Amino acid sequence: MASCLLRARFFTCRTDVRRVTTATQLHCSSVASGRQRVNGVDLYYEQTGRGKHAVLLLPGALGCTRTDFGPQLKSLNKERYTVVGWDPRGYGQSRPPDRDFPPDFFERDAKDAVDLMKALGFGKFSLLGWSDGGITAMIAAARHPHAISKMVVWGANAFVSQPDLKLYNAVRDVSKWSAKMRKPMEDVYGAEGFAKTWEAWGDGIAQYAERPEGSICLELLPLISCPTFIIHGEKDPMVPSIHPQCLLKHIKGSRLHLMPEGKHNIHLRSISSVRYVLWLLLPPLTVHVPGAGLRHYHGTRERGVKSGGGTC
């Protein structure tokens, strides 16, 4: 492979946000990596493209750029987008510190994400959030409406019900996972580190079930003002359909697409559908479905879903 160079950019930042390393090339597709000091921690990020539309990729629980968004960083249109993937604090290469799960860990991640993008020089950007990253994205969009252009979330939920806890507890013991399922996380954290961090995540997410209505961010959904696109795989084993319907109901003007054969990690199993999602991010946010086996619902419609334990 031919070697390429990508010059790092530097910006004047607040005293709590400073560049600690120069961006370095990862591979020939012009993906660069670096670490940025944000809110007292060094956050690892990867960046590619030179388009005017900046997009931040937000990974799922214990996830990072390496495990969750490799295909997107390699294949996105680099003329249209500038794409940033990041490892939230305590995940992936944003260690130390080790990950912890205080009662406000989603709020903390949202602040880190927005502050990272500001430190990298992006005053306005869009969000692509998967699973826990979708929760983080929704909080960021609600708390920082002037910074967020558009948002796409999938596999995300705004509350935790008792039925949800049963789903989480069923996968709590990673020794019962297949070796293939464990390998990506064990490669990042080691076998013991992965098991310990996953156990801690289980305790962290269970905190929300004790709150009124099990809310993670229910009260923030009406504050989201950016165009929002929700995707749901109808065969998602971890996120029942009541959750995307709840988001559709409470996020004004949002849109929902259902993928009949989709599971939890749609973006890794159906790359072509993700390209379609990113096409929708281009202004204006038009509603046109070029096949792809998707069903579309507009947020102004009332969608009724019956599900045990749902409060939304």
Side-chain angles (χ1 to χ4, degrees):
M1 285 187 198
S3 176
C4 307
L5 293 175
L6 185 62
R7 185 182 298 275
R9 294 184 294 170
F10 293 82
F11 301 92
T12 303
C13 307
R14 300 186 306 274
T15 57
D16 64 330
V17 182
R18 60 185 177 85
R19 179 67 52 89
V20 296
T21 64
T22 301
T24 55
Q25 171 133 356
L26 287 181
H27 43 71
C28 197
S29 59
S30 297
V31 177
S33 70
R35 284 183 172 81
Q36 179 75 36
R37 190 74 174 176
V38 176
N39 300 325
V41 297
D42 295 336
L43 296 178
Y44 176 82
Y45 69 94
E46 296 182 13
Q47 182 175 325
T48 186
R50 52 184 176 272
K52 293 182 179 180
H53 195 141
V55 178
L56 177 63
L57 309 176
L58 297 101
L62 277 68
C64 54
T65 301
R66 172 181 168 186
T67 60
D68 290 8
F69 288 113
Q72 285 71 48
L73 280 167
K74 290 179 182 178
S75 64
L76 296 187
N77 188 319
K78 294 173 177 57
E79 297 298 322
R80 292 180 174 179
Y81 304 105
T82 297
V83 183
V84 178
W86 77 309
D87 295 3
R89 66 167 69 202
Y91 287 166
Q93 296 188 63
S94 292
R95 297 174 293 156
D98 290 335
R99 181 71 178 196
D100 62 352
F101 297 92
D104 65 341
F105 72 90
F106 282 119
E107 291 272 1
R108 183 181 64 182
D109 283 348
K111 178 172 172 53
D112 283 350
V114 172
D115 288 348
L116 171 64
M117 291 298 280
K118 289 180 179 178
L120 294 177
F122 302 107
K124 200 168 183 73
F125 48 92
S126 292
L127 302 172
L128 285 179
W130 172 46
S131 196
D132 275 20
I135 298 171
T136 300
M138 292 186 291
I139 294 172
R143 297 291 192 196
H144 305 275
H146 299 297
I148 309 305
S149 298
K150 297 179 175 67
M151 177 171 63
V152 179
V153 296
W154 63 101
N157 51 299
F159 66 90
V160 176
S161 66
Q162 291 303 314
D164 293 327
L165 284 184
K166 291 181 180 179
L167 293 175
Y168 305 152
N169 287 333
V171 296
R172 193 178 183 102
D173 185 354
V174 298
S175 69
K176 296 179 180 178
W177 295 20
S178 69
K180 181 179 179 181
M181 289 292 292
R182 293 195 307 267
K183 188 179 187 306
M185 291 302 181
E186 289 181 346
D187 286 347
V188 175
Y189 299 101
E192 183 178 347
F194 169 46
K196 179 181 177 180
T197 308
W198 183 250
E199 183 79 12
W201 177 86
D203 293 338
I205 198 70
Q207 299 175 96
Y208 294 99
E210 304 302 319
R211 295 185 176 185
E213 298 185 305
S215 176
I216 300 174
C217 58
L218 277 174
E219 67 282 0
L220 297 180
L221 299 183
L223 303 180
I224 296 173
S225 57
C226 66
T228 299
F229 192 67
I230 306 156
I231 305 175
H232 180 64
E234 293 188 273
K235 293 185 178 180
D236 189 331
M238 298 302 296
V239 181
S241 61
I242 189 174
H243 289 294
Q245 295 288 350
C246 176
L247 304 183
L248 179 69
K249 178 180 178 181
H250 292 285
I251 300 176
K252 184 178 180 180
S254 61
R255 294 163 180 157
L256 169 64
H257 276 250
L258 300 178
M259 297 183 64
E261 299 301 315
K263 296 185 179 180
H264 193 56
N265 55 347
I266 296 170
H267 64 301
L268 298 177
R269 289 176 174 264
S270 183
I271 304 301
S272 61
S273 294
V274 173
R275 290 197 186 103
Y276 164 63
V277 169
L278 292 175
W279 172 80
L280 282 172
L281 275 173
L282 290 173
L285 187 66
T286 55
V287 183
H288 170 64
V289 183
L294 303 175
R295 295 214 299 271
H296 169 77
Y297 300 108
H298 196 278
T300 56
R301 295 184 183 178
E302 192 70 26
R303 310 298 307 180
V305 176
K306 296 181 180 180
S307 177
T311 59
C312 197

